[in-house]
Amino acid sequence: MKPFQTNIVEPRTGSREQRIIELVRDRGVAAIQDLASEFDVTPQTIRRGVNRLSALGLLRRVHGGVTVPPANANLPWATREVQHIDAKQRIAAEVARMIPDGASVAIGLGTTPHQVALALRTHRELRVVTNSLRVVLALAGANEVEITVAGGTLRPADLDVVGEPAARTFGAFKADFAVFGVGGIDADGSLLDFHVEEVVARETMRRHSRISLLVADASKFGRAAMARGGSLADVDVLVTDVPPAPPYEHLLQGPKPRVHLAGGAA
């Protein structure tokens, strides 16, 4: 079994920037001047690196220094999009093999469901319900795909729609498949997200589907997020890249979910 990894590998950071991240995590907060002295560079050089890392969501600027983002805060889309991208694409390919032409599919928020949408572009005559404009853009113009977009409040940074109207849209359909991700999976099997509105839409989608598919790479096990709703045991199928290590492997010992590993079935 591949070792379970809980640390997120930050995308496209240089060696100095990676060391800055590690120092700030160790100290909790670090002054710009102290970092400049540590690396024997000018404060301007440190600020440029810190500004870049802050834009990626990997650090957070405070007066005179820098700290780490809150543990339950999600990262920007551009950062999440490239994290564990190989695993996400393998998961998406596995899901695409499970969904036949002509199926109805509800697709939720997040970078892995977006990869699923990209993998479904060669399918024919799908009927898709989604609250992600990125999914809409991925499937627009594909082989006779009919797309229903949920209403609600647009979040411009992620190009998705949340709120009670979005949940009502999912509740108006009975999809063959619901494909959704989560912010994290707790040790007791709780499904976690970063906002209550995300949980409401996800759970409505799951309940109003014939087969629910959770798409989550192994990094989601143990990842903290604030909003709780649903359980792994409620999900029909988990599609992931590698089995989780202790203390999470017990979550997959019940009748649900069935586990499909990217590239094979467990």
Side-chain angles (χ1 to χ4, degrees):
M1 181 186 298
K2 182 179 177 181
F4 176 62
Q5 298 177 348
T6 57
N7 292 327
I8 295 174
V9 178
E10 286 79 11
R12 295 196 295 267
T13 57
S15 59
R16 181 197 294 146
E17 292 179 351
Q18 183 64 47
R19 289 166 61 199
I20 289 173
I21 292 171
E22 293 167 357
L23 280 173
V24 174
R25 285 177 176 169
D26 289 342
R27 299 175 184 178
V29 63
I32 296 296
Q33 187 61 54
D34 291 344
L35 290 172
S37 299
E38 183 87 29
F39 292 99
D40 194 25
V41 296
T42 66
Q44 290 77 12
T45 298
I46 291 295
R47 286 193 187 93
R48 284 195 295 270
V50 163
N51 287 340
R52 168 178 148 75
L53 294 171
S54 297
L56 289 171
L58 302 174
L59 294 178
R60 181 164 64 94
R61 289 295 303 268
V62 294
H63 181 68
V66 63
T67 186
V68 293
N72 61 352
N74 206 359
L75 296 172
W77 177 277
T79 303
R80 290 181 281 129
E81 185 177 25
V82 296
Q83 286 178 335
H84 312 290
I85 184 61
D86 291 341
K88 292 175 181 178
Q89 289 175 340
R90 293 198 305 272
I91 290 168
E94 182 71 21
V95 172
R97 285 191 286 269
M98 299 169 65
I99 296 176
D101 290 344
S104 58
V105 190
I107 304 179
L109 312 178
T111 56
T112 308
H114 176 244
Q115 288 296 326
V116 172
L118 293 172
L120 289 173
R121 286 188 295 188
T122 58
H123 281 48
R124 300 187 62 84
E125 298 181 351
L126 294 179
R127 290 161 293 162
V128 174
V129 185
T130 185
N131 56 340
S132 168
L133 298 189
R134 296 183 189 273
V135 168
V136 173
L137 294 173
L139 290 171
N143 297 304
E144 303 173 34
V145 174
E146 176 186 301
I147 304 174
T148 299
V149 186
T153 302
L154 175 68
R155 299 191 297 187
D158 284 356
L159 289 180
D160 57 35
V161 177
V162 295
E164 188 60 32
R168 286 201 301 268
T169 301
F170 287 121
F173 294 88
K174 184 73 171 183
D176 295 326
F177 299 91
V179 178
F180 52 87
V182 291
I185 303 171
D186 208 358
D188 66 357
S190 297
L191 301 182
L192 309 175
D193 272 305
F194 294 93
H195 301 281
V196 172
E197 295 88 350
E198 296 171 348
V199 172
V200 172
R202 166 169 56 76
E203 283 297 285
T204 304
M205 181 192 316
R206 180 188 63 77
R207 290 194 305 269
H208 290 81
S209 66
R210 294 178 176 86
I211 300 176
S212 57
L213 300 171
L214 170 60
V215 290
D217 65 75
S219 72
K220 295 299 179 73
F221 286 91
R223 188 182 182 204
M226 188 70 173
R228 176 179 179 271
S231 170
L232 192 58
D234 298 329
V235 175
D236 295 316
V237 179
L238 167 67
V239 186
T240 188
D241 53 337
V242 295
Y248 302 97
E249 79 284 3
H250 73 281
L251 298 175
L252 306 183
Q253 294 174 358
K256 291 173 62 175
R258 301 193 310 273
V259 182
H260 283 251
L261 298 183

